[in-house]
Structures are given as C-alpha cells and as structure tokens.
Amino acid sequence: ADRLEVVVHPPTQVIVDLQPGKPSHDDIEVFNDSPERMYVVADPAQIQSPGTPAERRVTVADPAVSGLLVTPQRMVLEPGQRRIIRLAALLPRDMSERVYRVTVKPVAGPVTAETTALKVLLGYDVLVLLRPQRIAGEVTALRSGRKLVFHNDSNTAQEIYEGKQCDMAGKTCKTLPSTRLYAGAQWSVDLSYDTPVEYRLTAGNGSSVKRF
C-alpha cells in the first residue's frame, strides 16, 4: 500500500483543536513515505449535530460559507517529500463550537503492471474543532442502577477518559471506556458495581476529575 503520513501535535491524535484565545488556524504536515510520486487531496466537510442520531457530514465547496479554509487542497508529493496544509477558520467563533472533518488522502495515479493490478491507497480523516469564544456549561451524569448516562450540556466537545470503578472493598478496580462527547450529545456506560465512578473530563484546556 502507498503510505501517506499526516503529522499533527500531539502526534498520537489526528486532531486540530483551535482553542479560544489562540490563533484560529493551524498546520498539519503531510509526508509521502512511499517510493512513488503521490497525488494528494484534502477534502473538508462540516459536521452538523456531531455525536447525535442527526449527525450529518456536509461538503461545502465555498470556504466562506463553510467557515474553514484548507490550503492547498491538491498537491503532488515526490517520494520522501513533506508539505504543509493550513487549516484556517474564516468566520468568527460562535457561541458553540463548529466541527469539521478534513479527509487527506492520495488519489490513484498511473498503475503499470503486466496483469490486472489493484492499487491500495491509505488516507487520514483529520478532526478539526473550532472552539467557541467562551466555553460554558458542563457535562452532567445520571445513574440508573448499573448504568451511567452522560449528557454534554456545555457548548463544546468534552473528553471523558481515565474512567475507573472499584468494588466495595477497593481491591478490584476496573478501567471504564472513554469517549469524546460533543455538545448536546449523550453517552452511556455499563457498570460492574454499585460503588462511585471516577472520570477525568477536559475540553482541551485543563482537566478535572469528577465522581459520579
């Protein structure tokens, strides 16, 4: 397979988090790690109602309408070559965040083979979060038996992670699943015990541990 590497910070996540009070643009680095020339496209889309049953991925050709400029959207990378793609918000920050996905992928070039050939191309889906000017609200949780239901009543996505629950004696502890919970969305976790649950929550700028 032809390999295309996308580098962002932190390098373990393909996420561009545009926090309030900071520049409304960031760069990602694209690296051709294959021995062949690669033709690359970057296709942006706005995500409406993310994390809910009504979620839609909407492609808008005009960045002045979608609010996100991706440049360049097309490029040619020689073997070992690196290029920078800039992601820039064109519209002011709203009261709630705007969510985008940018698909960065190689497209098929010439395939030369004596027999029928298949060219496998791998790409990346970059998550772009344009945070609101002021982050307000919080994540709430309601327990019903051994089920914990989170609801994001804030105006931005929240990371819910490092979940832990221990038995009554405190000798056996279980790691609980994690998620990114978008504004207005809900998420449930099945529990093993009736004891309290701990989770760490963050909106990308500082974090806190809460008990439920």
Side-chain angles (χ1 to χ4, degrees), residues 167-200:
D167 63 5
M168 192 66 69
K171 294 182 179 180
T172 302
C173 296
K174 292 193 173 183
T175 299
L176 299 176
S178 59
T179 192
R180 177 181 301 105
L181 191 62
Y182 293 98
Q186 71 175 32
W187 176 65
S188 62
V189 179
D190 292 324
L191 307 176
S192 300
Y193 312 112
D194 298 319
T195 53
V197 173
E198 282 190 359
Y199 263 106
R200 183 174 294 275

Side-chain angles (χ1 to χ4, degrees), residues 16-87:
V16 173
D17 193 343
L18 303 176
Q19 287 283 330
K22 295 184 179 180
S24 295
H25 61 80
D26 205 348
D27 298 331
I28 59 176
E29 183 182 77
V30 184
F31 173 50
N32 181 3
D33 193 24
S34 82
E36 300 179 5
R37 175 181 294 167
M38 190 174 289
Y39 302 87
V40 179
V41 296
D43 291 328
Q46 186 168 9
I47 309 301
Q48 298 180 352
S49 304
T52 72
E55 178 176 313
R56 293 178 59 222
R57 185 171 185 141
V58 180
T59 301
V60 181
D62 186 354
V65 176
S66 68
L68 183 69
L69 174 66
V70 178
T71 182
Q73 283 192 248
R74 285 173 169 76
M75 66 190 76
V76 179
L77 293 177
E78 300 296 338
Q81 186 178 6
R82 299 174 183 267
R83 288 285 301 275
I84 295 296
I85 298 177
R86 169 147 293 194
L87 311 175

Side-chain angles (χ1 to χ4, degrees), residues 151-163:
H151 193 277
N152 188 350
D153 295 318
S154 76
N155 60 352
T156 191
Q158 303 264 354
E159 299 284 344
I160 304 176
Y161 60 107
E162 292 184 6

